[in-house]
Amino acid sequence: MSRSDSDSDSGSRLPLTAVLSANAISISGNSLTLIGVPWFALETTGSAGKAGLVAFCAAVPVVVSAIAGGPVIDRIGRRRVSVASDLICALALAAIPLLNRAGLLQFGMLCALMAVTGLFHAPGETSRHVLVPDLARCAGTPLSRAASLYDAVSRGARMTGAAVGGLLVALIGADTVLYVDAGTFLLSALLVLAGLRGVPAAEPLRDAPALNLTAYRADLREGYSFLLRTRLLLAVDLMVMVTNGLALSWTAVLLPIHAREELGGSAAQGLLVAVFGGSALAGALLYGAVGHRFPRRPVFTVGFLISAGPILTAAFTDTVAPMVVAAAFGGLGAGVLNPILTTAFYEVVPEELRSRVGGASTAAVLLTTPLGGLAAGFLVESVGITWALLTVGGAFVLATLSPLFFPVWRELDAPARPSGEAGGAGVAGETVDAGAAGTAAGAGASSSGPATPVPVPAPGGTPPRR
């Protein structure tokens, strides 16, 4: 199976610019969702447990679509999947305030509509993310620079979207913010539709066998087999699987509740997410400029540990200033994570397997995210917000210490391709930032969150949309 070898787009920066712009707009919308939906759930239900249940319903379909989506993306085409994904998410998000204002929205409907966005946004994120190496080559941009730029643009968008989202929730209400969010999906779809026209890597695989059940299972097996044979990818996914669940509990439940009860409302939450995102942007740009001079493993480990700062700080303060400081330092640490792991993923995974391995890896790192929001909501109702923050923050720190104790992580500095695999220089993996996690992807770690980038925890973010 191969894509067209036409090089008519060689030397063109337009496709890469279109994908970066679409992702920036989409992630800005992600930030609006991150702030708007939890506040909408809290305002309409008054229950931390129900807010956690909404997060659960949004996260479960992300895992399902990531598990099954890789072979479908390749056959339908990355451009078509990205556009269709954004359009469906726009309709689902716009339906929430429309039904609410008509007096028809029930709690079950809210959960169902968030499940639709979860089911469809993951393939869209994955389809854009796996295009970056081809588009970088087309634009004449080094892969490490394109990966850092992709992450930096994403973080800048998250910062801007969070700041605007917090203010908009305070000024015009959470339901109206969801209209704006739907608009970002529409604009992202239009950019991809126009900017990737005629790009061979974005089109369906040529001469691919029909997607019958046998071929579909074979494609899935190929992606998961590659993941399981690649020790570093497996180690990264196991660690991030844990941290993503904890990160989602922070961003979807604990942070909104802490902001509402202790920090003065949604504007404070938006400020913290924006500060974290701005610092993460600075960290990603700094790593893109000088990161190649340093070994990856120690930089990654220290960055991951620092990114947990906002969660633990929230347990000891009810004022905004210390949280802003923690968000600034945490963001710097989180900023180095995705560039390191994205570069590693691109280096180790052959182009023809990226969608399948990316889907498998994204599914793996998002397995615990449905439980994160659900558990956090009931944890708050059982032991209170302070003990919930200490529990989640402590567990996150313990999980991020694994690169110091397991020898497989040494491969982050000198990764190896699984035996028998051809192509590419060997490396593997990628992470999502906890402080802004999410991504989700996956990610991706998005994010959340995604294989493609993996999420990490910050004061407000979601796993990359994959």
Side-chain angles (χ1 to χ4, degrees):
M1 295 185 292
S2 64
R3 298 181 192 274
S4 170
D5 294 325
S6 167
D7 59 1
S8 60
D9 290 304
S10 178
S12 172
R13 296 179 181 273
L14 177 61
L16 180 61
T17 302
V19 164
L20 292 176
S21 300
N23 235 43
I25 292 167
S26 179
I27 288 174
S28 295
N30 247 352
S31 294
L32 296 179
T33 302
L34 172 71
I35 294 177
V37 171
W39 278 90
F40 182 83
L42 288 170
E43 288 174 357
T44 55
T45 69
S47 167
K50 286 188 174 181
L53 184 58
V54 171
F56 174 83
C57 292
V60 168
V62 176
V63 180
V64 173
S65 63
I67 290 173
V72 176
I73 290 171
D74 283 341
R75 284 171 172 79
I76 296 177
R78 294 161 179 173
R79 174 171 171 261
R80 293 175 183 173
V81 169
S82 178
V83 171
S85 166
D86 281 345
L87 291 177
I88 292 171
C89 289
L91 291 173
L93 283 168
I96 295 173
L98 282 173
L99 290 170
N100 185 53
R101 293 189 176 189
L104 300 175
L105 185 67
Q106 303 296 320
F107 180 72
M109 293 180 186
L110 174 61
C111 291
L113 289 168
M114 290 308 298
V116 169
T117 66
L119 183 64
F120 284 95
H121 78 228
E125 283 284 325
T126 299
S127 63
R128 288 191 294 272
H129 191 273
V130 298
L131 278 169
V132 170
D134 298 283
L135 302 185
R137 184 167 54 251
C138 183
T141 301
L143 178 57
S144 60
R145 182 174 300 168
S148 293
L149 184 60
Y150 185 93
D151 191 58
V153 168
S154 299
R155 293 186 184 281
R158 183 175 294 119
M159 171 187 66
T160 304
V164 172
L167 290 175
L168 287 179
V169 168
L171 293 174
I172 62 177
D175 58 345
T176 305
V177 169
L178 296 181
Y179 287 123
V180 181
D181 194 5
T184 65
F185 276 105
L186 287 173
L187 186 52
S188 174
L190 291 173
L191 281 169
V192 170
L193 185 66
L196 295 185
R197 185 183 302 275
V199 175
E203 299 303 319
L205 285 171
R206 295 180 59 185
D207 305 320
L211 192 58
N212 54 44
L213 185 59
T214 301
Y216 184 73
R217 285 189 302 197
D219 283 353
L220 282 179
R221 189 183 308 115
E222 191 172 18
Y224 282 94
S225 295
F226 188 97
L227 174 62
L228 293 172
R229 292 196 308 272
T230 309
R231 297 195 316 156
L232 180 59
L233 267 181
L234 191 57
V236 168
D237 285 358
L238 287 173
M239 185 183 88
V240 177
M241 182 192 304
V242 175
T243 58
N244 275 356
L246 297 169
L248 189 73
S249 70
W250 162 245
T251 58
V253 178
L254 299 181
L255 177 59
I257 291 174
H258 184 62
R260 184 183 66 168
E261 295 183 357
E262 306 288 350
L263 303 180
S266 62
Q269 181 184 356
L271 172 65
L272 293 176
V273 178
V275 169
F276 187 95
S279 294
L281 170 60
L285 292 174
L286 182 62
Y287 185 83
V290 301
H292 62 281
R293 302 177 185 175
F294 303 95
R296 291 171 177 171
R297 185 168 69 114
V299 173
F300 174 79
T301 303
V302 172
F304 224 139
L305 285 170
I306 293 174
S307 73
I311 305 176
L312 290 172
T313 302
F316 297 100
T317 184
D318 58 0
T319 57
V320 174
M323 289 296 299
V324 169
V325 174
F329 280 102
L332 283 174
V336 307
L337 303 178
N338 277 350
I340 290 174
L341 293 182
T342 303
T343 302
F345 174 81
Y346 289 148
E347 289 174 343
V348 77
V349 182
E351 191 278 337
E352 64 273 14
L353 291 179
R354 282 186 196 133
S355 293
R356 278 162 275 176
V357 178
S361 184
T362 299
V365 302
L366 295 179
L367 277 176
T368 60
T369 54
L371 299 176
L374 188 65
F378 290 107
L379 190 62
V380 170
E381 293 188 343
S382 299
V383 300
I385 184 66
T386 299
W387 280 106
L389 287 165
L390 286 172
T391 301
V392 170
F396 189 88
V397 168
L398 289 175
T400 60
L401 291 175
S402 61
L404 299 179
F405 298 104
F406 295 98
V408 65
W409 284 92
R410 296 171 187 164
E411 294 180 17
L412 194 60
D413 292 319
R417 182 179 296 280
S419 59
E421 295 294 342
V427 185
E430 178 182 343
T431 163
V432 184
D433 58 72
T439 346
S446 354
S447 266
S448 33
T452 43
V454 177
V456 182
T462 70
R465 288 182 179 169
R466 300 178 190 285

